Amino acid sequence: MLGMAHPVLADNPIPTVVDSTRSGGLSVGFTFDDGPNPPDTLRLLDVLREHHVKAVFCLWGDHVRRHPEIVRQIVADRHTLCNHSMHHDDMATWSAEQIRADLLETSAAIRAAVPGAHIPYFRAPYGSWGQTPTVAADLGMQALGWRMAIGDWDPPGTAELIRRLREGITPGAVVLMHDGGGDRSQTVDAVDAVIPALRSEGWHLSLPARRG
């Protein structure tokens, strides 16, 4: 079955970047960056709910503050949260102190929307990691990378996104997509079409690995 119950995640993340699922085999992990973003995030939640799929949402702090009600819906639907920085800055050259301040501010914004929210992952904007995996691990978050990015930041059309997903997904891959940062309706449409196709071929959706 595509989709799974939300598990209790292990503690003690380590300063490496994970890019695979915890299940292995014919599993794939869907992750969505740069939200929350109405209306696309809300429609994506509807699609995931309809297909009984859980995903990881990598939240941009500025957007969290604008749309806390959507963060509450993400959590109510039992998806997994990921800290994606406060302002989506490139952190590659930042000091550990600067990174820590940003990650703490972002997590605080998320928990202002959802008190006590569990945030097990961090993803660096642009994949510019620098010292962020170590700082994130110290704050209890595993650095979350990806094995496949579908390139939806410049929407090429729903059919092309479907093709990229169908041809690019490999066993155990974490896939990077976007629900924010622009019009992501094509991404939502592609996800809606791809899930039943994957299910028919024996794939299931898994969360990313907790540790490297």
Side-chain angles (χ1 to χ4, degrees):
M1 177 179 178
L2 193 61
M4 58 183 293
H6 184 72
V8 176
L9 296 171
D11 294 325
N12 304 318
I14 58 177
T16 58
V17 180
V18 300
D19 63 5
S20 62
T21 65
R22 64 188 58 178
S23 300
L26 288 181
S27 67
V28 59
F30 281 178
T31 67
F32 299 95
D33 283 15
D34 297 354
N37 168 47
D40 296 322
T41 305
L42 290 172
R43 194 162 72 84
L44 175 62
L45 289 171
D46 288 341
V47 165
L48 296 176
R49 192 180 309 116
E50 177 183 351
H51 293 294
H52 308 289
V53 166
K54 303 301 179 192
V56 179
F57 285 81
C58 298
L59 302 175
W60 180 333
D62 290 323
H63 298 169
V64 167
R65 286 182 172 168
R66 293 189 191 103
H67 306 291
E69 73 287 351
I70 302 182
V71 181
R72 289 191 283 273
Q73 187 60 58
I74 291 169
V75 172
D77 284 1
R78 301 180 70 196
H79 296 291
T80 298
L81 302 183
C82 172
N83 179 318
H84 194 41
S85 85
M86 196 65 208
H87 310 298
H88 208 272
D89 295 315
D90 187 329
M91 298 180 170
T93 62
W94 285 21
S95 69
E97 292 75 16
Q98 288 174 303
I99 294 166
R100 181 181 178 86
D102 186 285
L103 270 57
L104 286 172
E105 184 181 6
T106 308
S107 290
I110 294 170
R111 290 184 176 123
V114 183
H118 184 44
I119 311 167
Y121 296 107
F122 164 77
R123 175 173 280 164
Y126 314 107
S128 294
W129 295 103
Q131 299 184 63
T132 62
T134 298
V135 176
D138 288 343
L139 295 175
M141 295 180 288
Q142 182 65 52
L144 176 60
W146 58 89
R147 198 175 291 172
M148 177 194 177
I150 67 169
D152 59 349
W153 49 82
D154 184 14
T158 301
E160 174 61 16
L161 292 176
I162 292 171
R163 186 195 67 79
R164 292 176 187 178
L165 284 164
R166 294 301 305 277
E167 295 181 6
I169 287 176
T170 55
V174 170
V175 178
L176 168 62
M177 295 178 274
H178 292 81
D179 64 312
D183 180 354
R184 302 303 176 211
S185 57
Q186 293 179 12
T187 300
V188 178
D189 290 340
V191 169
D192 192 20
V194 161
I195 290 171
L198 290 173
R199 178 186 285 127
S200 71
E201 296 171 1
W203 291 80
H204 68 280
L205 209 72
S206 174
L207 291 174
R210 183 66 173 113
R211 296 180 60 172

